[in-house]
Amino acid sequence: MRRSALAYGLLASVALTSPVMANDDVKKASADPNNWAMQSGSYNNWRYSELDQVNKSNVKDLRVAWQFSTGVLRGHEGSPIVIGDRMWLHTPFPNNVFQLDISDPVGPKIVWKYTPKQDPSVIPVMCCDTVNRGGVNIVGDTLIFGQADTTLVALDANTGKEKWKTVNGDPKKGETHTGFTLVVGDKVIMGTSGAEFGVRCHVTAYNIADGTRAWRAYSMGPDEDILVDPEKTLSLGKPVGKDSSLKTWTGDQWKIGGGSTWGYASYDPDANLFYYGTGNPSTWNPAQRAGPDGKQIDQKWSMTIFARNPDTGVAAWAYQMTPFDEWDYDGINENVLVDLKVGGEDRKVLVHFDRNGFAYTIDRLNGEVLVAQPYDEDLNWATHVDLDKDSATYGRPIVVASKSTFLNGPDVNSKYVCPAALGFKDQQPVSYSPLTGLFYVPVNNVCMDYEPFQVSYTPGQPYVGATLSMFPPEGKTNTGHFTIWDAAEGKIVHQHDEPFSVWSGVLTTAGGLAFHGTLDGYFKARDQEGGAELFKHRLPSGSIGNAFTYSQGGKQYVGIFSGVGGWAGIGLAAGLDKPTDGLGAVGNYAGLKSYTDLGGTLTVYALP
Amino acid sequence: MRRSALAYGLLASVALTSPVMANDDVKKASADPNNWAMQSGSYNNWRYSELDQVNKSNVKDLRVAWQFSTGVLRGHEGSPIVIGDRMWLHTPFPNNVFQLDISDPVGPKIVWKYTPKQDPSVIPVMCCDTVNRGGVNIVGDTLIFGQADTTLVALDANTGKEKWKTVNGDPKKGETHTGFTLVVGDKVIMGTSGAEFGVRCHVTAYNIADGTRAWRAYSMGPDEDILVDPEKTLSLGKPVGKDSSLKTWTGDQWKIGGGSTWGYASYDPDANLFYYGTGNPSTWNPAQRAGPDGKQIDQKWSMTIFARNPDTGVAAWAYQMTPFDEWDYDGINENVLVDLKVGGEDRKVLVHFDRNGFAYTIDRLNGEVLVAQPYDEDLNWATHVDLDKDSATYGRPIVVASKSTFLNGPDVNSKYVCPAALGFKDQQPVSYSPLTGLFYVPVNNVCMDYEPFQVSYTPGQPYVGATLSMFPPEGKTNTGHFTIWDAAEGKIVHQHDEPFSVWSGVLTTAGGLAFHGTLDGYFKARDQEGGAELFKHRLPSGSIGNAFTYSQGGKQYVGIFSGVGGWAGIGLAAGLDKPTDGLGAVGNYAGLKSYTDLGGTLTVYALP
Ligand SMILES: O=C(O)c1cc(C(=O)O)c2c(n1)C(=O)C(=O)c1cc(C(=O)O)[nH]c1-2
Ligand SMILES: O=C(O)c1cc(C(=O)O)c2c(n1)C(=O)C(=O)c1cc(C(=O)O)[nH]c1-2
């Protein structure tokens, strides 16, 4: 069965007349498993596909169907999207976009290529390689994506011609874009990066029709800036109250407070809420952020999961995982929306594997934390998350004093903190399989030494203030796990060693498989039951992209970007050698240079 | 059977004591079909392998065994070399070199990477992309290669540590390196590029032991510069006589005379002669090169095949294919050494598919031209090559006056000249199969309009003086052929259309197959009998590399570089748009942008 993009009205050349309502369009396109219609597969961020042609018994026969070199080096995150016989593919900086006609099974044709001209001075203000994980979104005949320099671009999806462009931030101040763009209703919502440069970050909504700004919600600042309703926005079951953010910062520090929003977003159409996380407070030297009393202070709403209404931006609830961060445990990791029986009750939850090493199962309607357990065994910076509602520390991690880089103080090297700054999981998204009801988690098994130091703020200059070394946990040589997780119980079901951190996003399918890439350049298929490797094949370069699948001409394809880079691959991507360069990533992943070099390629596998 | 590099003494860490004699070493390594020990497979440039595990019936089952992204964009010419379980791989500028351990069948490990620091100002003086087709040579434990900036480098093949470096030319004057380095005896002989910049080019020999210069033979100039013996060096059966070059230039023009030596070289150990060709005289505007009488003049020894003694550099013979070039028909194409029955007699010949569209079969011991016939049907600039020994025009092409850009004069557009400047064949080498006794020729089926104009010489500035358009012959839309050639008869045996010029070198094997890449990104296997396509598979990018094969752990691998570029791909490689840019190549290959983008990858195929 040959299906064309026309079937989705994508190629209709009629002008946009009425306000676009993305939901139905996106839901329809992503409900058809032949498509991979959005970065996360669907609004709920499951990264699960109903396609089952490739299954446990035949996956060993997968072979490279075709490949496409993107013409760009450095880290390739995210994935293409596919609707009908068209694929849209994005690259890291300079953020080229291609439309491919994939109707020919032996190889694609390039229909158009969009090559933005961006000022390369944005490159040095991108903290963690020139990546773009947010990729492209499609709604109606409009293709929307964000560039590194924060330009939000809408193209005619069929012709590649510009419809409108708007600028979300200023790279001269360290504001960049690598993360999500989410199309919901008549809006596109966009995150921002910059917490390593003292940017006060936000999410901002633009109208799809014309690119005008609809609302902006900062991560910190006055209530009207952060779009909370003091009476109605909840945190841990209670209204956040007036000045919930301002109260938790010393003086004006919130103005350079960080809280980047560079991960993925998910959306619950029934609740009409979208979910995303905020990153670290700036700087990484916690001493500089102490409260007026010289003690820890929360720095809200950094390190927070927000549930917001996409029409107004107003928050329904907020939950801060790591108050007063002292380790760069950005809270930006994706939130996967599932309905689970937790403690015997059917709950609408989100599941979130935080950088801080705890996996949270949270009621997604009100923000109540149901489960919070470490998803790797070496976590040592906190004893647990206090879930006793009557406790003074309700909802908070209980920090181990010896691992507190604040208590140890500046210019003291806090040794052996696990996880490392890049978390037990970083940008690489997990997958949820409804077949098993379990989560498939690409894990960094990494610890660190962390030495904060005094740093002063200059716009557009790094505002980090810490020296890091990273390394595997004691007694281990590998820095990765592939972990299967029960989010209702908060338990590891299976755990497999990986030589390097799995910096690539997982895909699960109705074929009973879980797919992912590896930094050393393998594409792997695993059994959803147990996680055993059923297939592995060497890609041209290390992969930090997300596995995806689609069907075309009756054939299932499973694909992934290779192109090593990101924070883990920054040594290769930016040509750095010193072990503490790249905030410690260079030393930790030095072994990668025995396996792979740069180069962006899309590889698409199929059965013979 | 697991074979290690040790078997070849390569990993022996003993110091070099006696002068290296490359011949035995290279012959031994290249005689073992498990290796691909030199760029051309063997000294005779057959590009033929005795390996036959992959054959006509199973080739359809080939699949990608593993790939290696080189970390470099732009055109990837040549191929890696393989000895035992080690592969050495080179890239275009910046000319990185890797040693890979290929003993693991699922993917290689990088043992070392050599990253020269070259001044990027060499890039704009490379005429036809930042390619390097000469790749690496190995002799004993020494790895030798030339960089774009003409630096000749010798590394310890096992460790990647520098042994010595020497500089062959000056990029500030337009002297660059892309072509051969040939190890013979105790010397390495190196070609040079620069005829588009008025460089007087040469081949130069260096002592392998320490990199000191042994001899240099210019393409033009006084006898002592060009290393001819007026009495003994033959041309068309006669001694060349005194001042054979000087006599054929007006005034001092030979000093900026071109005659680049950027192709491949072959070597006959029995005759102790090596063979290579020289390129166009500078400038491309023939009016500026007219003789003192205002008429055509030969401009020797541009456009010439030389047979030279590698020990002394002295020429045994020289044959000029295109005296007084008016079309940029560089004579640099490789010379394949075979023993053939020609006209009923066993002859030791070389076979040469010239840019000018004639395929020459030449006695390689004395330079007698036995056969000279067009290898594509559209040749129209000459009626034939005169092989009548008694004729005044013996050995010369008989030019069609209307196609003479000299007779038409400067600022006149000579229309519809076939072949175009890039010849019916350019850098992409042919293969000879002893199974069939036939040649497998990757052909450009391209014509041109050529308008010369006055240009003045400034060192390091382009010295071209012509505007070109290129296009397929009338009535055709494709620009390529894959042609099977009988060099004894001078006849096309089979010809297959290719959508684009086949800019990739051919490999033949004892499995009865001929392999090559395509500009639009396919790797193809053809039947040596008849040339039918038996397998095709899409590579990540267009290929201008040379197919090669080796065996490791009992398994035959067939590999090729992809990474579009070279002259044909210069539009993509250098981001040019105007049809006449890249001396007309941009317009002719504009269609490529619908198929491929940049990116260097080695792909290695094997049977399941
Ligand atoms: O705070 C920020 O603004 C910010 C931005 C980014 C980014 O934009 O990629 C990363 C991080 N932080 C970060 O903490 C981090 O671990 C990280 C990893 C990566 C990556 O692509 O591999 N990006 C980022
Ligand atoms: O005259 C020269 O010095 C010179 C150099 C080169 C080169 O070094 O690649 C090419 C040519 N000429 C040339 O004429 C030509 O057609 C050509 C094609 C290519 C290529 O790599 O695709 N190089 C060159």
Side-chain angles (χ1 to χ4, degrees):
Chain A
M1 184 194 50
R2 181 72 142 264
R3 295 145 17 69
S4 109
L6 259 173
Y8 297 91
L10 290 172
L11 299 179
S13 56
V14 295
L16 270 157
T17 48
S18 55
V20 195
M21 290 305 290
N23 305 22
D24 290 348
D25 204 77
V26 172
K27 275 161 71 184
K28 185 175 157 201
S30 61
D32 181 345
N34 295 296
N35 298 333
W36 190 259
M38 54 193 302
Q39 282 299 317
S40 307
S42 51
Y43 275 141
N44 56 20
N45 278 24
W46 286 8
R47 299 182 175 273
Y48 171 81
S49 166
E50 291 291 347
L51 295 178
D52 61 2
Q53 193 178 81
V54 180
N55 60 36
K56 295 185 196 187
S57 51
N58 61 22
V59 66
K60 65 179 187 324
D61 298 322
L62 277 186
R63 56 179 77 177
V64 176
W66 53 259
Q67 296 181 300
F68 184 78
S69 179
T70 67
V72 177
L73 304 172
R74 303 192 64 160
H76 280 59
E77 293 184 354
S79 74
I81 64 170
V82 176
I83 297 182
D85 59 7
R86 297 300 152 116
M87 175 182 282
W88 290 266
L89 184 142
H90 73 283
T91 75
F93 180 91
N95 306 120
N96 296 331
V97 177
F98 298 84
Q99 193 204 62
L100 303 182
D101 175 346
I102 55 171
S103 55
D104 184 344
V106 302
K109 272 200 80 166
I110 302 170
V111 184
W112 53 256
K113 176 181 179 183
Y114 177 78
T115 50
K117 298 275 166 282
Q118 278 181 87
D119 188 336
S121 69
V122 69
I123 296 174
V125 290
M126 302 186 78
C127 76
C128 311
D129 201 6
T130 57
V131 291
N132 183 311
R133 70 190 66 76
V136 300
N137 291 272
I138 197 158
V139 45
D141 65 353
T142 305
L143 192 79
I144 305 190
F145 56 92
Q147 297 174 183
D149 66 3
T150 80
T151 307
L152 182 68
V153 184
L155 302 181
D156 182 310
N158 308 310
T159 64
K161 297 273 167 293
E162 279 175 15
K163 291 187 166 198
W164 51 256
K165 294 208 277 192
T166 188
V167 170
N168 192 44
D170 182 359
K172 297 265 173 302
K173 300 187 185 138
E175 296 172 356
T176 59
H177 175 79
T178 63
F180 74 87
T181 45
L182 175 75
V183 290
V184 172
D186 57 355
K187 304 203 171 52
V188 46
I189 306 168
M190 179 178 195
T192 179
S193 300
E196 273 64 70
F197 294 83
V199 173
R200 180 169 66 126
C201 293
H202 48 78
V203 294
T204 306
Y206 295 90
N207 294 301
I208 293 173
D210 58 8
T212 52
R213 194 204 280 188
W215 52 256
R216 169 167 288 178
Y218 284 91
S219 301
M220 60 257 328
D223 291 348
E224 60 276 19
D225 283 12
I226 63 173
L227 301 189
V228 297
D229 179 331
E231 309 306 318
K232 295 207 185 117
T233 303
L234 299 179
S235 191
L236 294 166
K238 300 203 181 107
V240 294
K242 205 168 140 27
D243 292 337
S244 60
S245 169
L246 285 185
K247 282 192 306 205
T248 64
W249 289 87
T250 295
D252 270 1
Q253 288 188 356
W254 56 271
K255 291 188 174 166
I256 52 169
S260 306
T261 55
W262 58 272
Y264 291 99
S266 45
Y267 172 60
D268 180 339
D270 297 329
N272 195 32
L273 290 175
F274 76 99
Y275 304 89
Y276 70 96
T278 66
N280 63 291
S282 313
T283 121
W284 290 26
N285 175 10
Q288 287 176 254
R289 290 185 273 104
D293 59 356
K295 298 234 172 82
Q296 298 95 326
I297 183 173
D298 281 358
Q299 268 117 28
K300 284 187 169 118
W301 292 99
S302 70
M303 303 306 215
T304 295
I305 297 171
F306 271 111
R308 291 185 186 271
N309 177 309
D311 304 317
T312 60
V314 173
W317 58 262
Y319 168 64
Q320 189 179 44
M321 284 74 67
T322 314
F324 193 71
D325 172 60
E326 316 167 37
W327 312 271
D328 188 46
Y329 292 152
D330 287 39
I332 64 86
N333 287 358
E334 76 287 355
N335 302 293
V336 185
L337 313 186
V338 294
D339 296 349
L340 278 190
K341 210 181 263 304
V342 186
E345 258 183 274
D346 286 321
R347 302 293 290 252
K348 289 185 174 298
V349 303
L350 66 74
V351 178
H352 170 95
F353 296 82
D354 199 68
R355 282 259 283 269
N356 72 14
F358 290 98
Y360 296 84
T361 305
I362 296 176
D363 185 309
R364 72 175 176 267
L365 300 180
N366 61 21
E368 187 192 338
V369 181
L370 308 175
V371 179
Q373 289 295 334
Y375 57 98
D376 212 302
E377 63 270 12
D378 293 293
L379 187 148
N380 70 8
W381 69 281
T383 55
H384 64 289
V385 177
D386 185 353
L387 293 187
D388 175 358
K389 287 191 184 168
D390 301 324
S391 162
T393 54
Y394 174 44
R396 293 172 174 265
I398 307 307
V399 176
V400 173
S402 63
K403 305 298 176 185
S404 165
T405 73
F406 175 71
L407 294 179
N408 293 339
D411 305 317
V412 174
N413 199 358
S414 291
K415 292 270 194 182
Y416 199 59
V417 185
C418 311
L422 39 70
F424 283 150
K425 195 185 84 62
D426 194 274
Q427 62 86 25
Q428 65 271 34
V430 305
S431 181
Y432 170 74
S433 171
L435 295 187
T436 59
L438 299 173
F439 287 79
Y440 297 84
V441 192
V443 168
N444 314 325
N445 185 30
V446 182
C447 303
M448 67 177 167
D449 296 344
Y450 188 116
E451 180 168 331
F453 59 82
Q454 181 77 19
V455 63
S456 62
Y457 174 75
T458 311
Q461 294 301 313
Y463 186 53
V464 174
T467 307
L468 277 71
S469 302
M470 299 197 207
F471 38 79
E474 275 164 12
K476 297 185 182 166
T477 51
N478 60 312
T479 59
H481 282 138
F482 182 86
T483 300
I484 306 183
W485 179 256
D486 180 332
E489 297 289 332
K491 276 211 316 245
I492 295 173
V493 183
H494 292 282
Q495 189 191 62
H496 294 269
D497 279 353
E498 272 286 339
F500 294 96
S501 302
V502 184
W503 211 263
S504 149
V506 182
L507 165 77
T508 54
T509 68
L513 298 166
F515 295 93
H516 67 89
T518 73
L519 278 171
D520 50 345
Y522 289 99
F523 184 59
K524 296 191 174 181
R526 294 173 178 274
D527 190 339
Q528 278 177 27
E529 317 268 354
E533 248 179 65
L534 302 178
F535 171 77
K536 98 173 187 180
H537 189 257
R538 185 74 166 256
L539 298 160
S541 173
S543 176
I544 60 169
N546 301 332
F548 71 108
T549 189
Y550 65 94
S551 173
Q552 169 60 28
K555 196 161 203 156
Q556 182 181 357
Y557 295 84
V558 189
I560 195 158
F561 275 133
S562 55
V564 75
W567 189 3
I570 194 67
L572 288 170
L576 307 174
D577 271 336
K578 231 177 88 191
T580 53
D581 271 355
L583 290 160
V586 171
N588 192 48
Y589 298 105
L592 274 184
K593 71 168 183 302
S594 301
Y595 292 90
T596 187
D597 211 302
L598 303 187
T601 306
L602 172 67
T603 299
V604 157
Y605 294 87
L607 295 171
Chain B
M1 185 193 52
R2 181 70 144 268
R3 294 146 18 66
S4 110
L6 260 173
Y8 298 89
L10 290 170
L11 298 180
S13 56
V14 295
L16 270 157
T17 46
S18 55
V20 193
M21 290 305 289
N23 304 23
D24 290 347
D25 204 76
V26 172
K27 277 161 70 183
K28 184 174 160 203
S30 60
D32 181 344
N34 295 298
N35 297 333
W36 190 258
M38 54 193 302
Q39 282 298 317
S40 306
S42 50
Y43 274 141
N44 57 18
N45 277 25
W46 286 8
R47 296 180 178 278
Y48 171 81
S49 166
E50 291 290 349
L51 296 179
D52 61 2
Q53 193 178 80
V54 180
N55 60 35
K56 295 185 196 188
S57 51
N58 62 21
V59 66
K60 65 178 188 324
D61 299 323
L62 276 187
R63 55 179 77 177
V64 177
W66 53 259
Q67 296 181 301
F68 184 78
S69 180
T70 68
V72 178
L73 304 172
R74 303 191 65 160
H76 280 60
E77 293 182 354
S79 74
I81 63 172
V82 176
I83 296 182
D85 59 6
R86 297 300 152 115
M87 174 182 282
W88 290 265
L89 183 142
H90 74 282
T91 75
F93 180 91
N95 306 120
N96 296 332
V97 177
F98 298 85
Q99 193 204 65
L100 303 183
D101 176 345
I102 55 171
S103 55
D104 185 344
V106 302
K109 272 199 82 166
I110 301 169
V111 184
W112 52 256
K113 176 181 179 184
Y114 178 78
T115 50
K117 299 276 165 282
Q118 278 181 87
D119 188 337
S121 68
V122 70
I123 296 174
V125 291
M126 302 188 78
C127 76
C128 310
D129 201 7
T130 56
V131 291
N132 182 311
R133 70 190 65 78
V136 299
N137 291 272
I138 196 158
V139 44
D141 65 353
T142 304
L143 192 78
I144 304 190
F145 56 93
Q147 296 175 183
D149 66 3
T150 80
T151 306
L152 182 67
V153 184
L155 302 182
D156 182 308
N158 308 313
T159 63
K161 297 272 169 291
E162 280 175 14
K163 290 190 165 195
W164 51 257
K165 293 208 278 190
T166 187
V167 170
N168 192 43
D170 183 359
K172 298 264 174 303
K173 300 188 184 139
E175 296 172 355
T176 58
H177 175 80
T178 64
F180 74 86
T181 44
L182 176 74
V183 289
V184 173
D186 57 354
K187 306 205 171 49
V188 48
I189 306 169
M190 179 179 195
T192 178
S193 299
E196 274 64 69
F197 294 83
V199 173
R200 180 169 66 124
C201 293
H202 48 77
V203 293
T204 305
Y206 295 90
N207 293 302
I208 293 173
D210 57 8
T212 52
R213 194 204 282 187
W215 53 256
R216 167 167 290 178
Y218 284 92
S219 301
M220 58 259 327
D223 290 349
E224 61 274 22
D225 282 13
I226 64 174
L227 300 190
V228 296
D229 180 330
E231 310 306 320
K232 295 208 186 118
T233 303
L234 300 179
S235 191
L236 293 165
K238 299 203 182 109
V240 294
K242 206 168 139 29
D243 292 338
S244 59
S245 169
L246 285 185
K247 282 192 304 204
T248 65
W249 290 87
T250 295
D252 270 0
Q253 287 188 358
W254 56 270
K255 292 189 173 165
I256 52 168
S260 307
T261 53
W262 57 273
Y264 291 98
S266 44
Y267 172 61
D268 180 340
D270 297 329
N272 195 31
L273 290 176
F274 76 99
Y275 304 89
Y276 70 97
T278 67
N280 62 292
S282 313
T283 118
W284 291 26
N285 175 11
Q288 286 176 250
R289 289 186 273 105
D293 59 357
K295 299 231 173 87
Q296 299 94 324
I297 183 173
D298 281 359
Q299 268 116 30
K300 281 182 169 124
W301 294 99
S302 70
M303 303 306 213
T304 295
I305 297 171
F306 270 111
R308 292 186 184 272
N309 177 308
D311 304 319
T312 61
V314 173
W317 58 263
Y319 168 63
Q320 190 180 42
M321 284 74 67
T322 313
F324 193 71
D325 172 59
E326 316 168 36
W327 311 271
D328 188 44
Y329 291 153
D330 288 40
I332 64 87
N333 287 359
E334 75 287 355
N335 302 293
V336 185
L337 313 186
V338 294
D339 296 349
L340 278 190
K341 210 182 263 302
V342 185
E345 259 183 88
D346 286 323
R347 303 291 292 250
K348 289 187 175 296
V349 302
L350 66 76
V351 178
H352 170 95
F353 296 81
D354 200 68
R355 281 261 281 271
N356 72 12
F358 290 99
Y360 297 84
T361 305
I362 296 177
D363 184 309
R364 71 172 176 268
L365 300 181
N366 60 21
E368 186 191 339
V369 181
L370 307 175
V371 179
Q373 291 294 334
Y375 57 98
D376 211 301
E377 64 271 10
D378 293 294
L379 187 149
N380 71 6
W381 69 282
T383 55
H384 65 288
V385 176
D386 185 352
L387 293 189
D388 175 357
K389 289 194 180 164
D390 301 324
S391 161
T393 54
Y394 173 46
R396 290 171 177 267
I398 306 307
V399 176
V400 173
S402 65
K403 305 298 179 188
S404 165
T405 73
F406 175 69
L407 295 179
N408 294 337
D411 304 320
V412 175
N413 198 358
S414 291
K415 292 269 194 183
Y416 199 59
V417 185
C418 311
L422 40 71
F424 284 149
K425 195 186 83 62
D426 194 274
Q427 62 87 25
Q428 65 271 32
V430 305
S431 180
Y432 169 75
S433 171
L435 294 187
T436 59
L438 299 173
F439 286 80
Y440 297 84
V441 191
V443 167
N444 313 324
N445 184 30
V446 183
C447 303
M448 69 176 164
D449 298 343
Y450 187 117
E451 181 169 329
F453 59 82
Q454 180 75 21
V455 64
S456 62
Y457 173 76
T458 311
Q461 294 301 313
Y463 186 52
V464 175
T467 308
L468 277 71
S469 302
M470 299 197 207
F471 37 81
E474 277 164 11
K476 298 186 179 163
T477 51
N478 60 310
T479 59
H481 281 139
F482 181 85
T483 299
I484 306 184
W485 179 257
D486 180 332
E489 297 290 331
K491 276 208 320 242
I492 295 174
V493 183
H494 291 281
Q495 189 190 63
H496 293 270
D497 280 353
E498 273 286 339
F500 295 95
S501 302
V502 184
W503 211 263
S504 150
V506 182
L507 165 78
T508 54
T509 66
L513 297 166
F515 295 92
H516 67 89
T518 73
L519 279 171
D520 51 343
Y522 289 99
F523 184 59
K524 294 189 175 182
R526 294 173 179 274
D527 190 338
Q528 279 177 26
E529 318 267 354
E533 246 178 68
L534 302 179
F535 171 76
K536 99 172 184 180
H537 189 257
R538 185 74 165 258
L539 297 160
S541 173
S543 176
I544 60 170
N546 302 332
F548 71 108
T549 189
Y550 64 93
S551 173
Q552 170 59 27
K555 196 162 205 157
Q556 183 182 359
Y557 295 84
V558 189
I560 195 159
F561 275 134
S562 55
V564 76
W567 191 3
I570 194 69
L572 288 169
L576 307 174
D577 271 335
K578 232 178 84 193
T580 52
D581 271 356
L583 291 160
V586 172
N588 191 49
Y589 298 105
L592 275 184
K593 71 168 183 300
S594 301
Y595 292 90
T596 187
D597 212 302
L598 303 187
T601 306
L602 173 67
T603 299
V604 157
Y605 294 88
L607 295 172

